[in-house]
Amino acid sequence: MKFGQVFRVDVLEGARIAVFSLRANRMRTVLTTLGIGIGVATLLAIVGIIQGLNSSFEKQLATLGANTVFISKYPWMIKGNWWMYRNRKNFTLEQVSQLRAQADFITAISPAVMRTSDVAHGALQVSNVRINGVWSDYQAIGNYEVVSGRFLTRADEEVNRAVTVLGADVAASLFPSISPLGQTVRIDGRPFQVVGTLGRKGKVVAENMDLSVFMPFKTFNSHFGKGRPMQIAIAVADAGRMAKVEDQLVGIMRRVRATPPGQPDDFNVNRTDSLAATYEQLTGALYAVATGVGLITLLVGGIGIMNIMLVSVRERTREIGVRRALGARQRTIVLQFLMEASSVSAVGGLLGTVVGLGTAKVVSLVTPLAADVRPSTVVSGVAFAALVGLLFGIWPAARAAKLDPVEALRYE
């Protein structure tokens, strides 16, 4: 008989004996399966939630656009002395104009100022709305979809019109049954005519983008004053060259702001990919700690499998002696016990995967935390559990195979 045929016979025979042994010791099998299942469930629940958070954050950043850059006094993630950023000079419209004239990669540019205020129509009111003063290019930069009416125009800016474009949540709250177009809303007590409404954008870093309104930049300054810090929003042609774009922006901004040589930049170039990198750094430590906790739980489950398999070897010493006396090879005994250990682990892994991902899904439904259930996670959960059983079953299997047949037959 060829080696391949012998091996298949050993595997089939080992599987048959393994199933019989597991059925004969149901309570032991259930407890072992439970130990592995808890470990896998803990690990995959954590992984599912973290993967969901990562996917959600990536989708949020996608709404900002991969080809957008925002220049401001402050970095998006402030580290160190806040007053250092606070004391920087504000940007000017002249600097924005020079930047647009000197940069050869800009497809759209707009200054942007913001404050929060109440927006009202009749007896209805929405509180804590982001009031944005921008140029007409801001629609292309922020990738905003106009669902009715229009966005702001250059003419609105030039003649200082009191017009506004409403975000989706503001429009739905103030005009639940009629069209907002042509209606008048009051922003901080001042009247503005609605010229357009925007499609839904969702949240970006916990900020509701639909709870916003937009008005011409000059109109904003006329109504609310010019003292607020401005940021410069830019869209570029090639998102794949953002590093070179940032270098050129830094050079131009240092020149137009007359930053002395040797002095640090008195502005920050904020990119969506840098925000993503910062987010990955913050969640990386959490992911490592959470994964470590899950792996420790699996380690405990694996040690439980090893102990129970050692007990099984001792209880079945005479059986092993009989099989060895009748001609069973050592590899056949090894395969039998390894298949027992990996089978119990695989079943525990399958149950743990279902429970773990189900828990992650429930958490995402009842809390703001997101969860992402991926097929590869399910497969890897079951496979990893089986691998744990295989590894921790090696010592008991080797111990069973090395038993002396004569001594095993004498064992009581």
Side-chain angles (χ1 to χ4, degrees):
M1 187 178 292
K2 295 181 179 180
F3 174 78
Q5 293 175 326
V6 173
F7 184 76
R8 284 196 296 271
V9 170
D10 287 344
V11 169
L12 293 175
E13 183 66 15
R16 186 185 66 81
I17 297 175
V19 171
F20 177 80
S21 175
L22 295 176
R23 290 178 60 186
N25 299 278
R26 290 185 176 87
M27 182 57 67
R28 180 187 300 167
T29 302
V30 170
L31 292 176
T32 308
T33 301
L34 184 63
I36 287 293
I38 292 174
V40 173
T42 302
L43 180 60
L44 292 188
I46 295 170
V47 170
I49 291 173
I50 293 178
Q51 287 180 344
L53 290 174
N54 291 341
S55 298
S56 176
F57 190 74
E58 289 172 2
K59 291 177 182 177
Q60 292 176 25
L61 289 184
T63 64
L64 295 176
N67 63 331
T68 56
V69 179
F70 297 86
I71 305 176
S72 65
K73 288 174 55 175
Y74 308 96
W76 280 345
M77 303 294 291
I78 295 180
K79 299 178 181 178
N81 187 2
W82 180 82
W83 285 102
M84 178 185 69
Y85 304 111
R86 174 67 177 81
N87 293 331
R88 288 174 171 177
K89 296 181 296 183
N90 289 337
F91 300 134
T92 65
L93 287 178
E94 176 62 25
Q95 292 171 0
V96 178
S97 298
Q98 291 185 48
L99 183 61
R100 177 167 56 182
Q102 296 181 35
D104 54 11
F105 47 77
I106 292 177
T107 59
I109 186 171
S110 171
V113 286
M114 187 275 293
R115 63 165 292 177
T116 59
S117 184
D118 298 335
V119 181
H121 172 72
L124 300 176
Q125 178 175 297
V126 183
S127 301
N128 296 320
V129 179
R130 289 168 55 95
I131 315 300
N132 301 276
V134 297
W135 285 353
S136 58
D137 276 0
Y138 199 83
Q139 179 189 1
I141 298 169
N143 194 28
Y144 285 95
E145 176 191 6
V146 177
V147 296
S148 65
R150 62 174 176 83
F151 198 72
L152 305 174
T153 64
R154 290 187 179 181
D156 294 331
E157 174 72 18
E158 290 170 358
V159 300
N160 200 15
R161 286 177 181 155
V163 295
T164 186
V165 179
L166 305 182
D169 284 351
V170 179
S173 299
L174 297 182
F175 302 95
S177 58
I178 62 173
S179 171
L181 297 182
Q183 301 291 331
T184 298
V185 297
R186 300 190 69 82
I187 302 175
D188 199 30
R190 298 175 176 86
F192 287 82
Q193 183 183 23
V194 179
V195 296
T197 61
L198 302 175
R200 292 200 172 275
K201 293 276 286 184
K203 291 185 177 181
V204 176
V205 195
E207 188 72 42
N208 186 357
M209 305 299 289
D210 299 320
L211 201 63
S212 303
V213 301
F214 296 87
M215 64 178 62
F217 181 84
K218 186 183 294 185
T219 304
F220 182 100
N221 286 339
S222 298
H223 285 75
F224 304 117
K226 299 181 180 180
R228 288 174 179 79
M230 172 202 311
Q231 74 170 342
I232 306 173
I234 299 170
V236 301
D238 187 1
R241 302 178 59 190
M242 293 303 289
K244 293 183 178 179
V245 167
E246 182 175 350
D247 289 341
Q248 189 179 31
L249 283 175
V250 169
I252 296 174
M253 287 301 296
R254 288 183 65 88
R255 186 163 55 251
V256 301
R257 286 172 66 80
T259 304
Q263 294 296 317
D265 298 337
D266 58 349
F267 57 89
N268 276 87
V269 179
N270 298 305
R271 294 160 41 188
T272 56
D273 54 352
S274 62
L275 186 61
T278 302
Y279 175 82
E280 289 177 359
Q281 290 177 359
L282 294 175
T283 58
L286 173 64
Y287 190 88
V289 171
T291 303
V293 171
L295 290 176
I296 290 172
T297 309
L298 271 179
L299 177 64
V300 173
I303 293 173
I305 286 180
M306 184 172 63
N307 289 335
I308 290 176
M309 292 303 296
L310 287 171
V311 172
S312 179
V313 170
R314 178 174 296 180
E315 291 178 347
R316 295 156 63 186
T317 299
R318 283 183 60 84
E319 172 197 327
I320 296 169
V322 171
R323 295 190 65 204
R324 293 284 285 124
L326 293 176
R329 298 176 177 86
Q330 285 187 345
R331 72 181 182 206
T332 305
I333 305 298
V334 169
L335 279 173
Q336 173 192 335
F337 282 91
L338 286 181
M339 292 182 71
E340 285 186 32
S342 59
S343 297
V344 171
S345 295
V347 173
L350 179 60
L351 296 177
T353 300
V354 173
V355 173
L357 296 183
T359 301
K361 201 66 176 178
V362 170
V363 169
S364 70
L365 293 175
V366 300
T367 71
L369 296 175
D372 187 12
V373 180
R374 301 177 183 177
S376 59
T377 305
V378 177
V379 174
S380 61
V382 177
F384 189 69
L387 180 61
V388 168
L390 194 63
L391 292 176
F392 282 90
I394 289 175
W395 183 27
R399 185 171 180 177
K402 292 179 180 179
L403 286 175
D404 182 83
V406 176
E407 295 299 325
L409 287 171
R410 292 176 179 174
Y411 185 81
E412 293 294 340

